[in-house]
Amino acid sequence: MSSPGRRFAQFVAIDWSGAVGPRQKGIAVAECTAGDAAPALVRPGHIWSRAEVLDQIRAAGRDTLIGVDLGPALPFVDRGAYFPEWSESPTDARGLWALVEQLCTDDAHFAASSFIDHPEAARHFRRHGGRTGDLFEPGRGRLRETERAQQRMGLSPYSNLNLVGAAQVGKSSLTGMRLLHRLDGQVAVWPFDPVPETGAVLVELYTTLAAIAAGRTPSRSKMRSHAELDAALVALGSRAGGGDGPISDHASDAILTAAWMRIVADRPNFWHPLGLTEQIARTEGWTFGVV
């Protein structure tokens, strides 16, 4: 959980997707270097596969801070378990990543359908078609401690156990766990790993935080024009990108968040949030920028 104690030279923001299929229009990757140059999309116009994103992360430079918009774990602290009443419930996040991978070995493209459909796991999820597990907590569902901290900041997080609706993040989280399982030991994943003196570091993003820092409200966090994006970039001390016309909110999220990461990466309180304990760092993780 330690502060990086060093400066990063490159910043990569990835808007992730949990959708089914070999390639995801909802994935966008943007990068920038130290300074004030506008971040740029990596492979603009390309429709990414999740495996290609994995390769992109593995190829990151040694002084790169990588942010990915996904939940790296499920709620644990509130019940003392990810899956109460399931004897196979893991005791830490790496065990959770391994369990998702084990049950989804035959699911192509990092999909997690087999995990969601497992009779024990399914008891904890809200799924489409009115299939809500008997252990899914009513309302928004169980929250991680970092999501409770987000609520205290005026945000409206949803449970990673909710798989229904436009605001759901559960599918992104589960497919992301298969990504993290493959990265284990290759890239430090904060706060599950200590921040190394050298080497790339991956953190969990909540892209709305970047929009808020740029002066937008949570309800206006999505930008779908280059004019909106450029105004937000300038508000973060970045040069404007200079594009014209519409832009997907996935692309604008990635671009703006890369610029935001560049100006906040050295803030000690972002690496030492008050609510982050050793247990939380081991089981639930934490969203970078939630203090």
Side-chain angles (χ1 to χ4, degrees):
M1 294 194 301
S2 61
S3 173
R6 62 186 174 101
R7 293 188 179 275
F8 293 97
Q10 187 172 27
F11 307 87
V12 176
I14 301 170
D15 201 43
W16 186 250
S17 171
V20 174
R23 294 187 178 275
Q24 311 299 328
K25 292 184 178 180
I27 292 177
V29 183
E31 64 181 1
C32 62
T33 56
D36 65 355
L41 290 176
V42 178
R43 303 179 69 180
H46 179 68
I47 301 177
W48 290 82
S49 71
R50 284 188 276 260
E52 288 174 333
V53 175
L54 173 64
D55 291 339
Q56 185 76 21
I57 293 172
R58 284 173 169 161
R62 296 183 63 81
D63 291 317
T64 303
L65 179 60
I66 305 162
V68 190
D69 183 18
L70 58 83
L74 299 173
F76 183 98
V77 173
D78 61 338
R79 303 281 183 83
Y82 297 116
F83 305 105
E85 301 188 23
W86 185 9
S87 61
E88 300 299 317
S89 183
T91 58
D92 60 23
R94 282 191 162 79
L96 177 61
W97 304 343
L99 179 62
V100 173
E101 180 64 30
Q102 174 191 334
L103 295 179
C104 298
T105 300
D106 295 330
D107 292 4
H109 317 303
F110 297 7
S113 301
S114 295
F115 187 81
I116 296 166
D117 291 337
H118 186 280
E120 288 293 338
R123 299 180 67 193
H124 300 268
F125 290 106
R126 174 190 283 153
R127 299 186 289 166
H128 288 90
R131 296 173 297 165
T132 299
D134 62 299
L135 295 179
F136 182 85
E137 187 174 289
R140 287 178 177 262
R142 294 170 58 200
L143 297 176
R144 297 184 296 152
E145 292 304 302
T146 188
E147 291 150 2
R148 295 186 187 282
Q150 291 167 25
Q151 287 183 320
R152 293 192 290 272
M153 294 172 66
L155 301 172
S156 300
Y158 279 80
S159 171
N160 291 344
L161 296 166
N162 175 45
L163 309 178
V164 178
Q168 67 85 16
V169 293
K171 294 175 184 176
S172 293
S173 298
L174 292 169
T175 57
M177 290 176 204
R178 298 192 68 186
L179 173 88
L180 296 175
H181 179 74
R182 285 163 171 76
L183 287 172
D184 194 16
Q186 301 174 45
V187 174
V189 181
W190 179 87
F192 308 100
D193 297 312
V195 176
E197 293 184 5
T198 62
V201 178
L202 185 148
V203 298
E204 172 192 353
L205 292 179
Y206 189 170
T207 57
T208 299
L209 294 175
I212 292 172
R216 300 180 70 89
T217 62
S219 63
R220 296 178 57 252
S221 64
K222 299 300 181 185
M223 290 155 283
R224 297 180 175 87
S225 74
H226 281 281
E228 287 182 296
L229 174 60
D230 281 349
L233 286 171
V234 170
L236 293 181
S238 170
R239 285 186 245 166
D244 293 316
I247 185 173
S248 76
D249 58 341
H250 306 294
S252 63
D253 278 351
I255 291 169
L256 186 68
T257 307
W260 173 78
M261 290 167 61
R262 176 168 61 191
I263 64 170
V264 301
D266 61 352
R267 294 187 183 178
N269 61 329
F270 279 25
W271 299 98
H272 296 282
L274 291 176
L276 181 59
T277 66
E278 292 289 345
Q279 182 196 30
I280 293 171
R282 181 175 57 82
T283 58
E284 293 191 348
W286 198 267
T287 311
F288 188 69
V290 173
V291 296

